[in-house]
Amino acid sequence: MALIELDGVTTIFGRRPRRALDAVRGGAGKAALLAEWGHTLALDEVSLAIEAGQVFVLMGLSGSGKSTLVRHVNRLVEPTAGHVRVDGVDVLALDRAGLGAFRRRMVAMVFQHFGLLPHRPVIENVAYGLAIRGERRAAREAKAAEWIARVGLAGYERHYPAALSGGMQQRVGLARALAVETPILLMDEPFSALDPLTRAELQDLLADLQRDHGRTIVFVTHDLDEATRLGDRIAILRDGVVVQEGTPADILERPADDHVRAFVGAIHRPRRAGRDAARPAGQSPSRPLASPSAG
Amino acid sequence: MNAAVDYLVVSHGDAFQAFADSLLVVLVWIERGLRGAPPAVVLLAVALLALLAGRSLRLAAAMAAVAWLVGALGLWDQAMQTIAIILVSVGIAVVTGLPLGVLSARYRPVRAVVVPFLDLMQTIPSFVYLIPAAMLFGLGKVPAILATVVYATPPLVRLTDLGIRQVDGAVAEAARAFGATRGQVLRGVELPLALPSIMQGLNQTTMMALSMVVIASMIGARGVGETVLLGLQRGDPGEGFVGGLAIVLLAIAFDRITQAYGQRLQARRGLSG
Ligand SMILES: Nc1ncnc2c1ncn2[C@@H]1O[C@H](COP(=O)(O)OP(=O)(O)O)[C@@H](O)[C@H]1O
Ligand SMILES: [Mg+2]
């Protein structure tokens, strides 16, 4: 049995998601639902199985439902229909206390915009998850200090987040998520807000950490380089539907449809004059260094 | 309306009396402490408070000088009475306004009720509720405090509500993702991040409480407001002016100290986050 299982997950945002669901079951797609109901079909019958120890990458254009999907694992978002099981537990059946305990013990998360506590120094940010669990200050700060060193921030314990660069802030975010030593790590575009060099550094750091610790990671990105570099498996989302799921080699060599082929094209022909035609509209360049800046 | 007030006076008079008595105990206790202490000790306390709030010796010295000036006007005793009333009023405003602000930030229906109610509290002339308050509690300090609370609490509620709603959703989400309970999110994220806004509310509340002291003295509160009122009644502009000056000096002291604290809070965060 897979560690994380999503089964027929459909998620609709709007005032009356349950009624909109009937329309979806009657055949309405994302565009029709938005036009006729003013509701957003964020995920449409998504089923995935993620094995323990894998780095599972979710890819797709902006708005395709990646953030929504990853938030189902720790129930920051609840589906309109479907099931979510983690380690055999029906996550949607947990009561408030059970959900709190589940989040504290099973899943940690890293965010695109870091989500650090601006009023607390680095050490307290990294120790945050441990504090939430009620660990004593001395114990949690000792652990936090180890993780701060592990992500290369030794000496910055008493600095406030605002005094750090984006890359350093995300190292804090990473240390905070690792310090709780949960089996599952959710990462929602953790490196997208960083410049290319910093991004590469942090990808290396994550790869190192993963080699040592072997967590189950659900990693969201819209960058195919990053996906093939870090992922054991990749799922590609389009308009809330998983259009292909497989190993990086599967995706690169046997794209399931034109949409996936367009992604692959973007990485294989990044420097050709015609590259913009090969890249889906709205997709940011997968190799920012090689691309002229916007405008 | 009259019948309702009569009914309250007759049937719940005891309850109001008990409430008034306990309020009075606190007030008298603070007042006695302030008036009984040697002025030098009070000046030192003011300086220390300013130092803690702003971490600036200059501010501390300036605030002690302002407090000394009040004494030099010959209104030391009255000023201590006024400060006691302000402290109790602001205390009640915090105890009621802060939770109300939190609730209205969290629950939309609560806000839908609270906001128009606050508008009402700030716009109806104080005398409209001073009269029934005086009927319920008699003339004196208690109705004066209640009138002050009614008038001064709204900004604290508004700015607590605003401050919490403006908290970066990503930070609160991160806290929830790590399994924080609602209370932990409130205490660890929402209140601290809203604190600069809450401090601004507290500052405004204090200023508004001070602006009520003359009206409060009309229903029997002692203090610098009384001095202004006497000046008014006797047609003695000099006395009225001195009393007004003392109120301004107190306002400056409260304002500078709370502002300094708020600014230091913001500076530490660098405000870029
Ligand atoms: N809280 C929300 N309320 C309404 N619509 C939302 C909400 N969150 C996401 N959406 C919509 O759901 C769709 C998927 O969004 P998201 O999961 O954030 O995509 P991605 O992370 O792939 O960019 C988008 O159309 C987005 O506008
Ligand atoms: Mg997203």
Side-chain angles (χ1 to χ4, degrees), chain A residues 76-152:
Chain A
L76 285 174
V77 173
E78 305 207 4
T80 313
H83 295 281
V84 180
R85 269 181 298 274
V86 175
D87 202 18
V89 173
D90 180 355
V91 176
L92 300 174
L94 295 170
D95 61 10
R96 192 186 287 173
L99 181 60
F102 167 79
R103 286 173 178 165
R104 290 190 287 272
R105 293 289 160 191
M106 288 297 292
V107 268
M109 194 161 180
V110 181
F111 300 86
Q112 180 174 5
H113 299 292
F114 322 135
L116 302 178
L117 303 169
H119 59 298
R120 305 248 184 107
V122 167
I123 185 110
E124 289 180 31
N125 266 285
V126 174
Y128 184 72
L130 303 169
I132 288 297
R133 285 182 190 171
E135 285 193 26
R136 305 204 149 275
R137 179 175 290 270
R140 67 181 192 239
E141 294 201 344
K143 262 188 226 173
E146 279 174 34
W147 284 106
I148 289 169
R150 188 69 187 81
V151 299

Side-chain angles (χ1 to χ4, degrees), chain A residues 13 30 40 42 61-68:
Chain A
F13 290 111
K30 181 166 181 163
T40 304
L61 300 181
S62 164
S64 60
K66 307 179 295 292
S67 295
T68 304

Side-chain angles (χ1 to χ4, degrees), chain A residues 11-14 30 34 40-43 59-71 77 112 188-189 220 237 240:
Chain A
T11 304
I12 298 167
F13 290 111
K30 181 166 181 163
L34 195 60
T40 304
L41 179 58
L43 293 177
M59 275 197 73
L61 300 181
S62 164
S64 60
K66 307 179 295 292
S67 295
T68 304
L69 179 49
V70 75
R71 278 166 176 71
V77 173
Q112 180 174 5
D188 187 5
E189 302 206 34
V220 174
L237 274 169

Side-chain angles (χ1 to χ4, degrees), chain B residues 143-192:
Chain B
I145 286 176
L146 290 184
T148 307
V149 168
V150 169
Y151 183 66
T153 306
L156 182 62
V157 180
R158 280 188 220 282
L159 282 155
T160 301
D161 172 40
L162 183 73
I164 288 182
R165 281 187 295 122
Q166 280 179 341
V167 166
D168 183 356
V171 182
E173 183 184 47
R176 278 188 288 125
F178 280 89
T181 61
R182 283 178 171 215
Q184 283 171 325
V185 174
L186 184 67
R187 274 176 281 121
V189 178
E190 291 174 330
L191 284 179

Side-chain angles (χ1 to χ4, degrees), chain B residues 61-133:
Chain B
M63 290 306 102
V66 166
W68 175 82
L69 218 55
V70 173
L73 291 173
L75 291 177
W76 184 263
D77 214 31
Q78 289 88 329
M80 293 305 114
Q81 289 174 326
T82 295
I83 291 174
I85 288 181
I86 299 293
L87 287 180
V88 172
S89 304
V90 171
I92 296 174
V94 169
V95 169
T96 55
L98 206 61
L100 210 56
V102 169
L103 287 176
S104 70
R106 182 160 283 179
Y107 303 104
R108 207 179 268 244
V110 176
R111 185 157 69 251
V113 176
V114 165
V115 169
F117 193 70
L118 295 180
D119 293 338
L120 197 70
M121 279 165 77
Q122 281 183 302
T123 47
I124 47 173
S126 314
F127 294 102
V128 173
Y129 49 83
L130 273 179
I131 296 162

Side-chain angles (χ1 to χ4, degrees), chain A:
Chain A
M1 190 182 60
L3 181 62
I4 302 170
E5 292 175 314
L6 276 77
D7 185 12
V9 167
T10 298
T11 304
I12 298 167
F13 290 111
R15 293 167 66 93
R16 320 188 91 170
R18 299 217 151 266
R19 292 203 22 208
L21 182 65
D22 294 336
V24 173
R25 296 224 158 119
K30 181 166 181 163
L33 197 71
L34 195 60
E36 285 163 34
W37 286 71
H39 280 53
T40 304
L41 179 58
L43 293 177
D44 188 0
E45 290 282 336
V46 170
S47 297
L48 285 176
I50 300 174
E51 302 291 338
Q54 279 184 350
V55 177
F56 193 99
V57 175
L58 294 172
M59 275 197 73
L61 300 181
S62 164
S64 60
K66 307 179 295 292
S67 295
T68 304
L69 179 49
V70 75
R71 278 166 176 71
H72 281 74
V73 178
N74 58 354
R75 209 174 122 187
L76 285 174
V77 173
E78 305 207 4
T80 313
H83 295 281
V84 180
R85 269 181 298 274
V86 175
D87 202 18
V89 173
D90 180 355
V91 176
L92 300 174
L94 295 170
D95 61 10
R96 192 186 287 173
L99 181 60
F102 167 79
R103 286 173 178 165
R104 290 190 287 272
R105 293 289 160 191
M106 288 297 292
V107 268
M109 194 161 180
V110 181
F111 300 86
Q112 180 174 5
H113 299 292
F114 322 135
L116 302 178
L117 303 169
H119 59 298
R120 305 248 184 107
V122 167
I123 185 110
E124 289 180 31
N125 266 285
V126 174
Y128 184 72
L130 303 169
I132 288 297
R133 285 182 190 171
E135 285 193 26
R136 305 204 149 275
R137 179 175 290 270
R140 67 181 192 239
E141 294 201 344
K143 262 188 226 173
E146 279 174 34
W147 284 106
I148 289 169
R150 188 69 187 81
V151 299
L153 284 181
Y156 288 95
E157 290 82 357
R158 307 306 318 172
H159 285 59
Y160 284 87
L164 305 180
S165 69
M168 290 159 94
Q169 291 191 42
Q170 196 56 302
R171 285 172 195 263
V172 176
L174 197 54
R176 172 175 70 177
L178 292 167
V180 286
E181 301 188 325
T182 54
I184 298 169
L185 191 54
L186 308 178
M187 307 182 80
D188 187 5
E189 302 206 34
F191 308 144
S192 298
L194 307 176
D195 66 77
L197 287 178
T198 310
R199 186 184 310 173
E201 273 173 32
L202 280 167
Q203 287 168 355
D204 289 341
L205 174 65
L206 183 64
D208 276 358
L209 289 164
Q210 181 60 2
R211 208 171 304 118
D212 296 348
H213 299 281
R215 309 277 172 89
T216 306
I217 299 179
V218 184
F219 191 102
V220 174
T221 181
H222 56 246
D223 178 350
L224 190 63
D225 277 348
E226 190 167 77
T228 51
R229 196 163 166 205
L230 296 170
D232 295 312
R233 294 188 78 80
I234 298 175
I236 295 187
L237 274 169
R238 176 195 197 178
D239 288 347
V241 178
V242 174
V243 289
Q244 187 172 8
E245 197 254 298
T247 63
D250 289 339
I251 305 280
L252 289 176
E253 286 153 24
R254 289 176 291 282
D257 62 11
D258 287 349
H259 180 76
V260 179
R261 198 166 296 121
F263 266 105
V264 175
I267 192 174
H268 281 304
R269 296 188 300 279
R271 289 181 181 80
R272 291 237 315 257
R275 66 182 185 275
D276 288 327
R279 187 185 305 138
Q283 164 72 351
S284 62
S286 60
R287 287 171 185 256
L289 271 180
S291 310
S293 53

